Amino acid sequence: MMEQLRWRDGVVCPHCQGRRTASRLNTTAGRNGLWLCSSCRKQFTVTVDTALSSTHIPLHMWVYAIHMMCSSRQGITTREIAVELDVSYNAARSVLDRIRHALRFDEDSEDGNGRDQRKWRRRARLSLRPRTPLEVCAQLLGRVESD
């Protein structure tokens, strides 16, 4: 699902931007979703250069956390995500922070419904309604802008 969201027109190497030059590697070491670019000879996955890169949390747990946040009416706390995903509090906080940053939940912005985002910080609960999990995943897989 993540590969289809990111690469609608075919696989693109994040290192050299080569189109349709990558092939899937079949590994027995448990690294599913590993690709090899035939142009630059570098390996990559769907999460390279995204908000999901450099994380040890599996993709299915990210999708589950996003689903919980999109379906929660009152919002969800970091502690609730940590318990549900069976990860540490710091890992759950990292998940929420990356989602907030990717969706541009900044202190000075509005959420699209005219609400000030400072209320989100104070409440400590985050709800992504009325977004769908697919919309959120697509935004997370968008290319990370260099700061």
Side-chain angles (χ1 to χ4, degrees), residues 12-88:
V12 177
C13 175
H15 305 291
C16 69
Q17 306 306 316
R19 295 192 171 273
R20 302 172 201 252
T21 61
S23 59
R24 185 181 296 273
L25 291 177
N26 294 324
T27 62
T28 57
R31 295 210 45 204
N32 295 331
L34 191 63
W35 291 82
L36 176 68
C37 178
S38 59
S39 298
C40 66
R41 307 294 297 162
K42 291 186 179 180
Q43 294 180 355
F44 61 94
T45 63
V46 71
T47 62
V48 172
D49 288 342
T50 68
L52 304 177
S53 63
S54 302
T55 180
H56 292 283
I57 298 172
L59 277 180
H60 72 275
M61 292 177 110
W62 278 94
V63 173
Y64 184 48
I66 291 166
H67 169 72
M68 289 189 321
M69 294 165 70
C70 289
S71 62
S72 174
R73 203 170 265 254
Q74 299 174 347
I76 194 158
T77 64
T78 305
R79 176 70 57 202
E80 291 169 339
I81 285 189
V83 168
E84 192 67 29
L85 297 181
D86 194 27
V87 295
S88 69

Side-chain angles (χ1 to χ4, degrees), residues 3-12 19-20:
E3 289 175 356
Q4 289 176 351
L5 284 174
R6 183 164 185 196
W7 299 314
R8 288 190 178 113
D9 300 328
V11 178
V12 177
R19 295 192 171 273
R20 302 172 201 252

